[in-house]
Amino acid sequence: MERGYHHGDLRRALIEAGIELLDDGGVEAAGLRAAARKAGVSHAAPSRHFRDVAAFVAAIAAACFEQLAESMASARMTSSDSVSGFRATGLAYVSFALDHPNRFRVLSHPLVSNKASFPELRDASERTFGVLRQAIIDAQAEGTVRSDDPATVALAAWSMAHGLAILLVDQQLQGKGYAADPQQLTDNILEHLYEGLRPHG
Amino acid sequence: MERGYHHGDLRRALIEAGIELLDDGGVEAAGLRAAARKAGVSHAAPSRHFRDVAAFVAAIAAACFEQLAESMASARMTSSDSVSGFRATGLAYVSFALDHPNRFRVLSHPLVSNKASFPELRDASERTFGVLRQAIIDAQAEGTVRSDDPATVALAAWSMAHGLAILLVDQQLQGKGYAADPQQLTDNILEHLYEGLRPHG
DNA sequence: GGGCCAATGTTGCCAGCGTCTACACTACTC
DNA sequence: GAGTAGTGTAGACGCTGGCAACATTGGCCC
């Protein structure tokens, strides 16, 4: 891991360091200086790669979106039919949130909520959304989901998964009589949504 | 606005100052020192009322939850029947997010996501959720919403409204072929949800 | 090969923040 | 009226993000 004056791929190294810091300290811990320390570089070096801390967090969030999209896409791919693919996509979304709560939270952090300022983040976010939309389009093609405007159906499905994930991650469903097993609960809720999306409603 | 050595009601003053700072600078701007300045008090005074900055933000968030609950409750009250009351509650949720984006964002800010640490915030959050649940229970009593477990239906409805609100606030639906008017879009989406909740589905 | 230049990393500085400690003032109780 | 708990103040510390000046390097052109 020897390096000369120049790092070689500092930008990537900083993002990886940032994700580690994020994982075990939240977004507050993923600062420019902390990441620089972790990458073994001076405190001002990150400024060559990120305009400010918001840009840094945006890059981290974009990377996390890619991971999420990847996980959703592979869940969909390994499903046998379009319906289970649709469900698997939603389950993957919620599972990602439970497995990596801080990565999930950074996706909608106020610091980077203005996606217009961060094209890379906006693109990553739309790619993720696109996985879900594609799952819906497929299900519609097979006639297992009603043929409303796919964008609207995707919005409904995304909202459901997202809302559930937030409540689970923030532990707001504890002791309220919901299913103890998140997997089970997620399945129940998605079933509920699917009910409303079934053809000829 | 003369005051002696003691302020009289500093805690409330700080929260009000915090909300103003929040409105026009986001959570990052709503710091302890900034609020102290705004309240005309020394930088360390807030520590007498808030253990740390997270507790301060939690108090602000609790106040915002109360405002949201109030707005939802009054929207429900001024509706003629249970169905329109249900819809009005959801609309009020989304409208609050659009009218006060930063107040909406603070409700789910990572800094206060662990509601267990902030009982006041958890209570306020549950009161808000309770307004929606009550609207659903009423609609079920009138037979306009299927009689599934109200908590589950509420979770579905909340998720939908929340997901939509987030996407609108973060302007992620721009130029994607959705209805330009948020009000209209919200109504469409809620209609979609209501479709799935109609009795004997 | 040699020289120039843009990119990248370093050092040092500043203001602002949250937090802690010691101190000052006040209000309430006995 | 004295004492004490509650509240506000003053100052310090270490951290942060951000800026400017300087150092080092690699690539490009001649």
Side-chain angles (χ1 to χ4, degrees):
Chain A
M1 206 55 181
E2 215 61 33
R3 76 162 178 102
Y5 191 89
H6 286 111
H7 180 285
D9 198 358
L10 183 55
R11 188 189 153 87
R12 173 174 302 274
L14 287 171
I15 291 178
E16 282 171 10
I19 292 181
E20 286 182 41
L21 291 164
L22 170 69
D23 275 340
D24 46 64
V27 99
E28 314 296 320
L32 291 171
R33 290 174 103 107
R37 272 194 303 274
K38 203 146 192 159
V41 98
S42 85
H43 71 262
S47 71
R48 300 292 176 189
H49 301 274
F50 305 100
R51 180 205 308 267
D52 54 25
V53 66
F56 181 47
V57 172
I60 291 175
C64 293
F65 261 122
E66 299 291 357
Q67 295 173 0
L68 172 57
E70 169 71 20
S71 151
M72 287 167 65
S74 86
R76 186 165 85 85
M77 288 310 173
T78 59
S79 301
S80 48
D81 60 303
S82 68
V83 175
S84 62
F86 178 44
R87 294 178 77 109
T89 306
L91 253 169
Y93 188 92
V94 177
S95 295
F96 179 85
L98 289 171
D99 290 344
H100 309 288
N102 286 332
R103 296 187 203 181
F104 175 70
R105 278 196 259 262
V106 81
L107 301 182
S108 58
H109 195 280
L111 204 53
V112 296
S113 61
N114 178 18
K115 300 270 194 310
S117 310
F118 310 105
E120 184 196 9
L121 175 59
R122 192 202 46 209
D123 292 351
S125 147
E126 288 184 7
R127 259 194 301 280
T128 309
F129 195 67
V131 175
L132 176 60
R133 181 162 42 225
Q134 194 54 51
I136 284 165
I137 290 174
D138 286 2
Q140 285 178 325
E142 290 193 13
T144 49
V145 161
R146 73 171 62 166
S147 56
D148 291 2
D149 171 32
T152 303
V153 177
L155 176 56
W158 178 89
S159 296
M160 193 70 74
H162 186 76
L164 176 60
I166 282 197
L167 289 179
L168 283 171
V169 164
D170 289 359
Q171 302 184 317
Q172 281 185 262
L173 300 181
Q174 307 278 359
K176 291 214 176 63
Y178 289 100
D181 177 25
Q183 200 86 354
Q184 181 63 41
L185 177 58
T186 304
D187 224 53
N188 289 348
I189 296 285
L190 290 183
E191 175 60 35
H192 211 102
L193 166 70
Y194 184 65
E195 187 76 17
L197 297 180
R198 203 164 271 169
H200 103 299
Chain B
M1 207 55 185
E2 214 61 35
R3 76 162 178 103
Y5 191 90
H6 287 114
H7 180 283
D9 197 359
L10 183 55
R11 188 188 152 88
R12 172 174 304 274
L14 287 171
I15 292 177
E16 283 171 10
I19 292 181
E20 286 181 41
L21 290 164
L22 171 68
D23 275 341
D24 46 66
V27 166
E28 314 298 319
L32 291 171
R33 291 175 103 109
R37 270 194 303 275
K38 203 146 191 159
V41 98
S42 86
H43 70 266
S47 72
R48 300 292 177 192
H49 302 275
F50 305 99
R51 180 206 306 266
D52 54 24
V53 66
F56 181 48
V57 172
I60 291 176
C64 292
F65 261 122
E66 299 293 357
Q67 296 173 1
L68 172 56
E70 168 71 22
S71 152
M72 286 166 65
S74 87
R76 187 165 83 87
M77 288 309 173
T78 58
S79 301
S80 47
D81 60 302
S82 68
V83 175
S84 62
F86 178 44
R87 295 179 75 110
T89 307
L91 253 169
Y93 188 92
V94 177
S95 294
F96 179 86
L98 288 171
D99 290 344
H100 308 288
N102 285 333
R103 296 187 202 181
F104 175 70
R105 279 197 259 261
V106 81
L107 300 182
S108 58
H109 194 278
L111 205 53
V112 297
S113 61
N114 177 17
K115 301 269 193 308
S117 310
F118 310 105
E120 184 196 10
L121 175 58
R122 194 202 45 210
D123 293 351
S125 149
E126 288 184 7
R127 259 195 301 280
T128 309
F129 196 66
V131 175
L132 176 59
R133 180 162 42 226
Q134 194 55 50
I136 284 165
I137 290 173
D138 286 4
Q140 285 178 325
E142 290 194 14
T144 48
V145 161
R146 72 170 64 166
S147 56
D148 290 2
D149 170 31
T152 304
V153 177
L155 176 56
W158 178 89
S159 296
M160 193 71 75
H162 185 77
L164 177 60
I166 282 197
L167 289 179
L168 284 171
V169 164
D170 290 358
Q171 302 184 316
Q172 283 184 262
L173 299 182
Q174 307 278 0
K176 290 213 179 61
Y178 290 100
D181 177 26
Q183 201 86 356
Q184 182 62 40
L185 177 59
T186 305
D187 224 54
N188 290 349
I189 297 286
L190 290 182
E191 175 60 35
H192 211 100
L193 166 70
Y194 184 65
E195 187 76 17
L197 297 180
R198 201 164 272 169
H200 103 299

